[in-house]
Amino acid sequence: MPAQASVTRLSAMARASRPRLGELLVRAGVITPEQADAAAAVHRANERTIGQQLLADDAVTEIDLAAVLSYQLDVPFVPLHAYAIDDVAALLTPPDLARRHRLLVVGVRDDEILVAMADPTDLKGRDAIAERTGRRIVPLLALASEIEREQERRGLLGAAEQTAPASAAPAAPAPRPSAVE
């Protein structure tokens, strides 16, 4: 059996055994089963993930969602407001990728780059930054609002994006529906 096939099968098994986001939020006492069911019923029609729908419904806070996603995805959560971002490493963040994939390089260790991401399941973003830097990516989960604030502070957003007001419901650091359901 080719190695790639076994890796793909193991990844699928890991996703299948991972509890759903709604279930985890209910178990944590963040939302009620009714709120989870309501979000599950409408999220696809609204072209949102479950996490984004719960944020839009004001059922969860961005920090509550991030904490549960960190657990679900087994990706460390980093509060950027308290994280010592390596200023030199941050220069490795390509502005186009920063905007499109909501990410920021926050550190470097050996041959790895530590990347704060609003959606650490965004494989296209991870692959793109790995290709541009030639290094292995270590994803870290961060709040979308904090990533955007840091991007603006570091000049990674275009002028139009810097003057636009932050949306009432920032994009959730949520996995794609296939990873949650």
Side-chain angles (χ1 to χ4, degrees), residues 83-171:
Y83 190 83
I85 296 171
D86 180 332
D87 291 330
V88 174
L91 296 173
L92 295 172
T93 308
D96 62 317
L97 295 181
R99 289 186 300 271
R100 190 173 343 138
H101 297 284
R102 297 176 305 150
L103 57 80
L104 178 70
V105 175
V106 296
V108 176
R109 67 175 179 219
D110 301 323
D111 64 341
E112 300 176 325
I113 293 185
L114 307 175
V115 182
M117 304 179 73
D119 179 2
T121 66
D122 178 2
L123 298 180
K124 287 182 182 179
R126 287 165 61 171
D127 290 347
I129 200 159
E131 184 178 315
R132 292 221 192 150
T133 62
R135 296 188 181 180
R136 189 173 91 72
I137 302 305
V138 177
L140 305 170
L141 177 63
L143 301 180
S145 60
E146 288 191 339
I147 290 173
E148 185 176 316
R149 205 170 8 261
E150 275 298 318
Q151 288 173 339
E152 183 176 339
R153 191 174 81 70
R154 293 170 184 280
L156 294 171
L157 298 179
E161 291 158 315
Q162 288 182 17
T163 58
S167 65

Side-chain angles (χ1 to χ4, degrees), residues 19-108:
R20 293 181 179 185
L21 178 62
E23 294 171 18
L24 289 172
L25 288 164
V26 169
R27 276 195 244 158
V30 176
I31 62 172
T32 65
E34 293 77 20
Q35 288 172 309
D37 292 343
V42 299
H43 78 96
R44 281 202 181 103
N46 295 335
E47 297 182 6
R48 295 178 174 147
T49 64
I50 294 276
Q52 290 167 332
Q53 185 63 51
L54 289 165
L55 277 172
D57 294 344
D58 289 326
V60 297
T61 65
E62 194 179 17
I63 191 77
D64 286 337
L65 182 60
V68 172
L69 282 170
S70 174
Y71 172 79
Q72 181 194 37
L73 300 173
D74 195 25
V75 173
F77 170 66
V78 293
L80 292 182
H81 67 275
Y83 190 83
I85 296 171
D86 180 332
D87 291 330
V88 174
L91 296 173
L92 295 172
T93 308
D96 62 317
L97 295 181
R99 289 186 300 271
R100 190 173 343 138
H101 297 284
R102 297 176 305 150
L103 57 80
L104 178 70
V105 175
V106 296
V108 176

